[in-house]
């Protein structure tokens, strides 16, 4: 045998590696034959009715401690554990509690299909098959568990079960040797396979038994699954049961080692589990709708984001009446402007948009936009264009024109739907989309219901309605199962999923009279579409792996919950704790805004993040238009990443001062043409030991001096920049890189790039305040501030409070 490890998908052919003369196939049980739907065994204990997870674990610890003290051994039975866990309970109560744990195991366990294939191959060759397990279950209890979880056919393949609780010793202590003797075999005639490198592989090899170490997952996958479990713990469970459910573990163990392309791996590991769960939930929802309402359910996949849900649905077997419809938010919104109420509501609520964008949504022609709004590139032009547009929208003539055009577009939209499906009266149109507000459904629900005399239902991957519409909307992940703060956190990053789920076509802007889509040119680059296609291939590979069979189970009591919790664990982990290899795939991705806009924004910008963190800590993200901000800090320490996740997940609403409590007081001098002023300013901690000091550039101030020598002997100067005070409130201005300005020194030596020594306590740096113009040279009135970011290397040994008191006295004098 040339290989000492074996991967999950290789198990069916393991006997081919063992050579001749085998008589017995020996298998570990848990994580070899029986796998669980959760990350670790203790997660099953969350389902126990009489004990908490901590109590159950302490009970086992105490039972083992007592067993060692009394009999000098560590192996214990389930009965001994419950004697410790329920010391005051009667026999019947303990038996009921043990039965509940065994049932929880039945609910959580399944047989791994490749292992069962190996067992069948062994029986076909005339080999005996035995289970050798380190477990507190008795042989009878373990065999019963296998039969109830995996089925009688699987249990019948097993000739004998050996357990440590009955032998009093573990595999490492000689259990395997006892099993070999009991089977009347010699060591070379046995092949043992298990997932524990010491208990299964090393213990076997020490006996001369050929062995294979089953590597369930590589370290990157193990870390990813750990992070998914951590995310599920942060999310919290609303129902009692097995916690941190991960029904995708078996499929990933089987498929992941066979995928080398990082883009396909991203699709397999992330999109595959999420969208497979979504499809299974959609099938259940379609059945429920048909049962409740009668008639036929027509699946309408809403392109463009409905592309991946559709092809995943096809991979698992397409339902009879499915169609792809191209109904963007833009066309749905404009088609709904048929009433005076809808017309008025639209422009009043959307006021503040770029005027040309709002005008397109209000069905202005391009000629009308050029004539009425004009150019709207600069701030002044946008302000002027908004006033002109508002004046036009208030006129009865414009309302009449827009409502007429909306009715015509609505008729073309109906023609589009009719060209894709043929619903009968009383049927249901099930709109399938990613979510997350169901905006398109909100606009066209009544339109479609009246046109086809049908019920309209929206079914979404993620749903967080901002308005209580009262429409038939549900999400795999929605407020029925999760709190609003979590849903809001997920929605803030959903654009990365949208970009991976979409297809290479422009967004629809209208239809022909026959209902054929009229699309604008795709805004994203061809290279992005090529990468996305490979990611989607990986997702389809997951679906095909599931279809090929990964599990054998008799009981799946928590199937629906497992799909939902597994999906949200994968989704949350990817959104907030993405891996560097995943971001390498996405590094050039952009997101197109749609809704009548031609604008695209990058998903993330790691270079901007490094600068922003040093200037303002995590608050640099406030108001950013980039759509995948947690990705920017993947390279930062884990505490920073976890802090962002916690703040977003729980909606903590912390301010800059809350998260930057430590500060350094530094004397500052503000100098104008005729006078000067002195003040004590505070440099506040931001990130990685950096401090940021903000100095207001008040009218008349020409230069600002900072007496750095009073607090530092050595320091690193990261940046000196000027920006609008308004950026502290967040907004798109924060997406622009800081405008660096020059600095002068007195009493400061430069030893290396950015590394400075203060030759004395009077050393200071001087910044000349730029003129109040923008980069185009036009005058601006926005208040400015100077931001200086530095990191202390060697602080001067001076009491800050005493220095501040002395400084204030000097200034007063």
């Amino acid at each position: 045998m040339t290989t000492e490890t074996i991967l999950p998908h290789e198990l069916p052919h393991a006997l081919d590696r063992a050579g001749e003369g085998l008589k017995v196939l020996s298998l570990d049980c848990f994580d070899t034959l029986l796998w669980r739907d959760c990350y670790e065994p203790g997660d099953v204990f969350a389902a126990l009715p009489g004990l908490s997870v901590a109590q159950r674990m302490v009970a086992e610890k105490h039972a083992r401690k007592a067993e060692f003290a009394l009999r000098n051994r560590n192996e214990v039975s389930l009965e001994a554990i419950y004697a410790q866990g329920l010391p005051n309970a009667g026999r019947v109560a303990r038996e009921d509690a043990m039965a509940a744990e065994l049932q929880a195991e039945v609910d959580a366990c399944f047989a791994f299909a490749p292992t069962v294939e190996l067992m069948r191959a062994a029986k076909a060759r005339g080999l005996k098959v035995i289970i050798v397990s380190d477990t507190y279950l008795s042989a009878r209890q373990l065999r019963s568990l296998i039969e109830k979880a995996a089925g009688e056919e699987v249990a019948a393949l097993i000739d004998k079960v050996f357990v440590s609780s009955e032998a009093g010793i573990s595999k490492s202590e000689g259990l395997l040797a006892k099993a070999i003797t009991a089977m009347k075999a010699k060591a070379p005639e046995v092949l043992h396979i298990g997932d524990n490198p010491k208990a299964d592989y090393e213990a076997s090899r020490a006996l001369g038994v050929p062995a294979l170490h089953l590597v369930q997952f590589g370290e990157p996958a193990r870390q990813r699954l750990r992070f998914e479990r951590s995310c599920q713990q942060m999310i919290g469970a609303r129902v009692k049961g097995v916690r941190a459910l991960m029904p995708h573990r078996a499929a990933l163990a089987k498929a992941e080692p066979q995928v080398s392309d990082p883009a396909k791996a991203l699709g397999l590991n992330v999109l595959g589990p999420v969208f497979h769960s979504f499809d299974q939930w959609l099938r259940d929802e379609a059945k429920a709708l048909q049962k409740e309402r009668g008639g036929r359910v027509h699946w309408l996949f809403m392109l463009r984001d409905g592309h991946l849900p559709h092809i995943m649905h096809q991979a698992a077997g397409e339902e009879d009446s499915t169609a792809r419809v191209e109904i963007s938010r833009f066309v749905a919104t404009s088609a709904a402007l048929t009433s005076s109420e809808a017309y008025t509501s639209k422009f009043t609520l959307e006021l503040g948009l770029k005027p040309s964008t709002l005008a397109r949504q209000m069905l202005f022609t391009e000629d009308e936009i050029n004539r009425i709004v004009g150019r709207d590139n600069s701030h002044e032009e946008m302000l002027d264009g908004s006033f002109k547009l508002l004046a036009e929208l208030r006129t009865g003539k414009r309302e009449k024109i827009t409502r007429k055009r909306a009715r015509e577009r609505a008729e073309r939209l109906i023609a589009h739907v009719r060209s894709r499906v043929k619903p009968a009266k009383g049927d249901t149109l099930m709109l399938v989309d990613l979510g997350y507000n169901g905006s398109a459904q909100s606009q066209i629900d009544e339109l479609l219901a009246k046109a086809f005399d049908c019920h309209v239902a929206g079914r979404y991957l993620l749903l967080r309605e901002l308005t209580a519409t009262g429409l038939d909307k549900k999400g795999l992940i929605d407020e029925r199962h999760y709190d609003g703060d979590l849903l809001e956190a997920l929605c803030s990053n959903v654009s990365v999923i949208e970009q991976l789920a979409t297809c290479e076509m422009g967004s629809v802007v209208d239809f022909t009279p026959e209902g054929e889509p009229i699309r604008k040119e795709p805004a994203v680059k061809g290279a992005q579409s090529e990468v996305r296609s490979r990611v989607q291939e990986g997702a389809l590979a997951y679906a095909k792996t599931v279809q090929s069979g990964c599990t054998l189970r008799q009981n799946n009591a928590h199937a629906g919950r497992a799909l939902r919790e597994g999906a949200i664990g994968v989704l949350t982990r990817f959104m907030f704790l993405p891996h560097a290899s995943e971001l390498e795939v996405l590094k050039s991705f952009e997101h197109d805004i749609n809704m009548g806009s031609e604008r695209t924004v990058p998903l993330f910008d790691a270079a901007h993040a490094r600068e922003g963190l040093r200037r303002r800590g995590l608050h640099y993200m406030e108001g950013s238009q980039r759509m995948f901000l947690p990705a920017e800090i993947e390279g930062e320490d884990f505490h920073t990443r976890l802090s962002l996740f916690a703040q977003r997940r729980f909606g903590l609403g912390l301010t800059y001062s809350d998260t930057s409590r430590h500060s350094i007081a530094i004397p500052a001098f503000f100098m104008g043409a005729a006078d000067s002023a002195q003040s004590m300013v505070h440099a506040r901690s931001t990130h990685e030991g950096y401090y940021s000091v903000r100095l207001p550039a008040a009218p008349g101030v020409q230069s600002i001096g900072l007496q750095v020598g009073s607090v530092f002997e050595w320091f690193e100067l990261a940046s000196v920049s000027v920006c609008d005070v308004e950026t502290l409130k967040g907004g798109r201005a924060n997406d622009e890189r800081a405008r660096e300005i020059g600095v002068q020194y007195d009493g400061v030596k430069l030893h290396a790039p950015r590394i400075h020594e203060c030759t004395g306590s009077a050393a200071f740096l001087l910044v000349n305040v730029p003129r109040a113009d923008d980069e185009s040279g036009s005058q601006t009135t926005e208040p400015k501030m100077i931001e200086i970011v530095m990191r202390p290397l060697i602080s001067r040994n001076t009491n800050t409070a005493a220095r501040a008191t002395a400084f204030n006295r000097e200034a007063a004098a």
Side-chain angles (χ1 to χ4, degrees), residues 616 696-697 723-729 782-785:
R616 300 178 184 180
C723 62
D724 293 341
V725 173
E726 191 70 15
T727 63
L728 293 175
K729 299 179 181 178
E782 293 291 334
K784 302 287 184 183
M785 65 178 180

Side-chain angles (χ1 to χ4, degrees), residues 6 9 28 111 147 154 196 210 227 260 310 312 357 397 406 421 508 527 547 549 573 607 717 720 807:
I6 189 167
H9 69 280
D28 173 43
E147 182 176 322
V154 174
N196 190 303
F227 284 7
S260 57
H310 181 226
M312 288 290 284
T357 299
K397 180 181 179 181
V421 292
V508 64
Q547 288 295 106
R573 193 284 308 168
L717 184 64
V720 180
F807 179 85

Side-chain angles (χ1 to χ4, degrees), residues 1 3-6 11 14-15 17-18 22-33 115 118 122 127-134 160 162-163 170-172 174-180 183 185-215:
M1 188 165 50
T3 304
E4 296 178 338
T5 61
I6 189 167
L11 281 168
L15 296 177
R17 303 185 184 184
L22 279 185
K23 293 184 178 179
V24 178
L25 171 64
S26 172
L27 297 172
D28 173 43
C29 184
F30 294 103
D31 291 327
T32 301
L33 171 58
T115 308
L118 170 60
L127 274 63
K128 298 290 186 181
V129 176
I130 63 174
I131 298 296
V132 184
S133 177
D134 288 342
K160 195 164 181 60
F162 299 89
V163 295
S170 66
K171 282 179 278 191
S172 297
L175 177 60
L176 186 58
K178 281 193 171 188
I180 294 172
M183 297 306 295
K186 298 177 182 178
E189 296 172 335
V190 178
L191 172 64
H192 182 76
I193 301 175
D195 69 294
N196 190 303
K198 290 186 176 180
D200 291 307
Y201 180 73
E202 292 179 11
S204 299
R205 299 294 281 181
L207 296 172
V209 173
L212 291 171
H213 171 216
L214 173 61
V215 180

Side-chain angles (χ1 to χ4, degrees), residues 10 13 70 239 366 397 571 667-668 695:
E10 298 171 333
H13 307 290
L70 294 172
V239 297
E366 292 301 316
K397 180 181 179 181
L571 200 60
L695 306 168

Side-chain angles (χ1 to χ4, degrees), residues 579-791:
H579 192 270
S581 62
E582 296 168 334
L583 299 183
E584 183 66 21
V585 173
L586 303 172
K587 62 183 179 182
S588 61
F589 268 46
E590 294 180 330
H591 178 70
D592 55 325
I593 302 297
N594 198 357
M595 288 300 290
S597 169
E598 301 294 328
R599 192 162 59 91
T600 62
V601 295
L603 286 179
F604 59 95
D605 182 348
H608 193 150
R610 283 191 293 273
E611 175 190 305
L613 284 168
R614 292 173 180 178
R615 290 172 64 204
R616 300 178 184 180
L618 287 173
H619 294 274
Y620 87 90
M621 296 180 177
E622 290 177 4
S624 174
Q625 297 293 298
R626 295 186 304 283
M627 312 300 274
F628 192 15
L629 292 171
E632 297 186 347
I633 61 172
E634 182 279 329
E636 304 300 327
D637 65 277
F638 191 74
H639 302 89
T640 300
R641 302 173 70 194
L642 200 58
S643 174
L644 175 64
F645 177 30
Q647 290 186 52
R648 294 289 174 86
R649 184 264 171 272
F650 294 108
L652 299 183
L654 300 178
T655 66
Y656 177 71
S657 59
D658 293 330
T659 57
S660 178
R661 298 299 300 273
H662 187 236
S663 65
I664 301 174
I666 308 176
F669 304 86
F670 299 84
M671 293 162 279
D675 57 5
S676 63
Q678 302 176 3
S679 177
M680 211 72 174
V681 297
H682 291 268
R684 291 193 172 275
S685 58
T686 55
H687 182 67
E688 290 186 328
Y690 285 94
Y691 287 73
S692 176
V693 58
R694 296 164 183 169
L695 306 168
V701 174
Q702 296 179 342
S703 59
I704 302 175
L706 204 61
Q707 192 179 340
V708 290
S710 66
V711 289
F712 306 137
E713 292 185 10
W714 289 72
F715 68 97
E716 176 185 355
L717 184 64
S719 66
V720 180
S721 59
V722 61
C723 62
D724 293 341
V725 173
E726 191 70 15
T727 63
L728 293 175
K729 299 179 181 178
R732 287 181 60 184
N734 272 348
D735 287 338
E736 299 171 5
R737 304 298 287 271
R739 179 183 166 193
E740 296 282 338
I741 58 177
V743 62
Q744 298 173 308
Y745 303 98
D746 185 37
V748 177
K749 287 184 179 180
L750 178 66
H751 287 270
R754 299 168 42 163
I755 306 301
H756 301 78
E757 178 190 9
C758 298
T759 58
S761 61
F764 68 91
L765 58 84
L766 181 69
V767 178
N768 291 320
V769 178
R771 291 177 58 241
D773 347 339
D774 60 22
E775 293 186 358
S776 65
S778 61
Q779 292 289 313
T780 68
T781 57
E782 293 291 334
K784 302 287 184 183
M785 65 178 180
I786 307 297
E787 262 186 312
I788 302 175
V789 180
M790 61 187 73
R791 178 159 58 181

Side-chain angles (χ1 to χ4, degrees), residues 537-560:
E537 285 179 32
L540 291 173
Y542 178 89
K544 292 172 183 175
T545 301
V546 173
Q547 288 295 106
S548 70
C550 301
T551 66
L552 288 86
R553 69 189 312 158
Q554 296 299 300
N555 180 57
N556 202 358
H558 52 224

